[in-house]
Amino acid sequence: MLIRRFSLPAASSLSSTLSAVVLGAGLLCAALNAQAREYSVSTVLSDAFPWGQAAEKWADLVEERSEGRMTLRVYPNSQLVNGDQTREFSAMRQGLIDMAVGSTINWSPQVPELNLFSLPFLMPDTEAVDAITGGEAGDMVFEAIESRGVIPLAWGENGFRELSNSRQPITSPEDLDGLKIRVVGSPLFQDTFTALGANPTQMSWADAKPALTTGAVDGQENPLSVFDVARIDQVGQKYLTLWHYMNDPLIFAVNRQVWEQLPEEDREILRQAALDAGQWEIEMSREQKDERLAAIKERGVEVSELSAEQRQAFVEATRSVHEQWTPQIGEELVEAARRAVDKR
């Protein structure tokens, strides 16, 4: 009878084999992680609006340029903060949200310097906005954001906020006297409309549309894109004033810990994609203005555009707001912004 003898490998050989297997598994996991990392991106509006489209564009560029190593999953309608858009910055700072394309208004409770853009009638046109965001003042704002645990990458645009109401054309501060105007939850907005003689009423947008429909409030303020896409004319808003009283730039940003864990190559992809998506969205938003305005007029809305003299009356009526808020925003920052506007 033939007896076969089998021998086990030497202990040292077995140990080497096991080590190689473990090492290979580790390298495989690392490779898989490097190939597919998903990050959450918060936005307030969906891709029916330029704001949401900016976030989607960022996600598309990052996935393409990273060859699938990074995936940005966009969560619109503030769903990552249960609809409370003013909590978005805090959630990103805490790491509950990886990234966001956010509003200077919504982030201003945590970053007071962002109230710069809500100072009434500081920026008369898009050239003034670009001069601020692209200059010393813009750098100072980004430094303020970074000091609070969030890395800002690029600017986008939500646009100038215009005024609508159901009562009458508004071309002077006196026309606002006593009107109930829905405003966002910012004390600066309250102070601005109070200075203009209106009755500012803070409420969420979900509550605002029914209130406009019933006449509980007379008017509201929002970018032209929101007025158009959300069909605000359908809730009794027959009069629209293009007064450019403030602008709400968007900011592409990343949680600091997420940013620091990224390889330098991926940081550069993320930053450049944000810059490109932001510029694309800014140009698109501005190009669509005339088309949106024409559509709004066709729906029977009476549109008023302020002359230089009419705008100056609003400037004079809100000087006290600047005096009150400049110390809170920062004297140096406000002065840098004013210099940029004057030199544009």
Side-chain angles (χ1 to χ4, degrees):
M1 182 173 67
L2 180 65
I3 299 177
R4 296 182 181 273
R5 296 182 179 271
F6 296 93
S7 60
L8 293 172
S12 59
S13 176
L14 180 61
S15 175
S16 298
T17 301
L18 290 173
S19 296
V21 170
V22 171
L23 178 60
L27 291 174
L28 177 60
C29 289
L32 290 174
N33 288 335
Q35 289 173 3
R37 297 192 303 272
E38 181 174 294
Y39 301 98
S40 60
V41 180
S42 175
T43 68
V44 169
L45 296 179
S46 71
D47 59 7
F49 301 85
W51 188 340
Q53 292 166 19
E56 293 289 352
K57 183 71 170 180
W58 188 22
D60 290 344
L61 291 176
V62 167
E63 184 155 15
E64 175 189 341
R65 294 174 183 180
S66 70
E67 297 180 338
R69 289 197 313 277
M70 290 187 287
T71 297
L72 308 190
R73 184 176 179 185
V74 179
Y75 293 84
N77 304 315
S78 304
Q79 58 184 286
L80 295 180
V81 286
N82 297 319
D84 185 355
Q85 56 207 53
T86 61
R87 290 182 51 235
E88 183 177 70
F89 186 87
S90 294
M92 179 167 47
R93 181 171 55 188
Q94 295 164 5
L96 303 176
I97 294 173
D98 297 322
M99 308 177 192
V101 180
S103 153
T104 58
I105 298 171
N106 293 335
W107 293 1
S108 63
Q110 291 80 39
V111 188
E113 290 86 350
L114 292 176
N115 284 302
L116 172 72
F117 298 98
S118 297
L119 282 176
F121 304 101
L122 172 65
M123 299 163 283
D125 48 39
T126 55
E127 288 77 11
V129 177
D130 293 343
I132 291 175
T133 58
E136 178 187 5
D139 292 340
M140 293 170 72
V141 168
F142 270 24
E143 289 170 6
I145 293 172
E146 188 165 351
S147 72
R148 290 169 173 87
V150 169
I151 308 299
L153 303 180
W155 296 97
E157 183 163 278
N158 196 25
F160 283 104
R161 296 179 77 91
E162 315 294 9
L163 178 67
S164 72
N165 82 103
S166 60
R167 295 288 192 87
Q168 63 191 18
I170 294 175
T171 57
S172 71
E174 292 73 24
D175 295 330
L176 273 165
D177 189 37
L179 291 187
K180 294 180 180 179
I181 305 295
R182 178 267 176 180
V183 296
V184 298
S186 165
L188 201 163
F189 283 67
Q190 297 271 349
D191 292 342
T192 296
F193 280 90
T194 298
L196 291 169
N199 179 10
T201 305
Q202 178 184 329
M203 61 177 63
S204 69
W205 186 241
D207 294 332
K209 293 195 79 171
L212 291 167
T213 302
T214 62
V217 293
D218 301 307
Q220 62 83 52
E221 47 78 52
N222 253 311
L224 204 61
S225 60
V226 174
F227 188 98
D228 180 28
V229 177
R231 294 302 299 270
I232 298 178
D233 53 285
Q234 292 182 341
V235 290
Q237 299 295 283
K238 301 177 181 179
Y239 304 97
L240 176 66
T241 300
L242 304 183
W243 64 342
H244 286 20
Y245 89 111
M246 65 148 293
N247 192 286
D248 182 26
L250 302 176
I251 298 172
F252 295 71
V254 186
N255 165 272
R256 180 189 295 278
Q257 289 183 333
V258 170
W259 180 256
E260 291 178 347
Q261 290 170 1
L262 288 172
E264 187 60 38
E265 177 187 1
D266 288 349
R267 290 185 193 179
E268 181 56 30
I269 288 173
L270 203 61
R271 184 191 300 277
Q272 190 58 53
L275 289 167
D276 293 343
Q279 188 59 38
W280 170 85
E281 187 262 345
I282 289 170
E283 293 174 358
M284 176 187 65
S285 298
R286 295 177 183 179
E287 289 172 357
Q288 291 176 346
K289 177 188 173 182
D290 290 342
E291 181 180 343
R292 291 193 187 282
L293 196 54
I296 290 168
K297 289 179 178 179
E298 287 178 3
R299 299 199 294 263
V301 177
E302 182 175 334
V303 178
S304 301
E305 298 192 51
L306 301 183
S307 66
E309 293 77 14
Q310 289 171 329
R311 184 180 186 278
Q312 187 60 33
F314 284 97
V315 171
E316 298 295 336
T318 54
R319 284 196 186 281
S320 62
V321 180
H322 282 246
E323 294 169 1
Q324 177 183 351
W325 278 86
T326 293
Q328 300 179 50
I329 296 169
E331 300 275 357
E332 292 185 11
L333 175 56
V334 173
E335 185 55 36
R338 287 173 176 160
R339 286 197 303 269
V341 173
D342 290 342
K343 293 178 181 179
R344 71 189 189 287

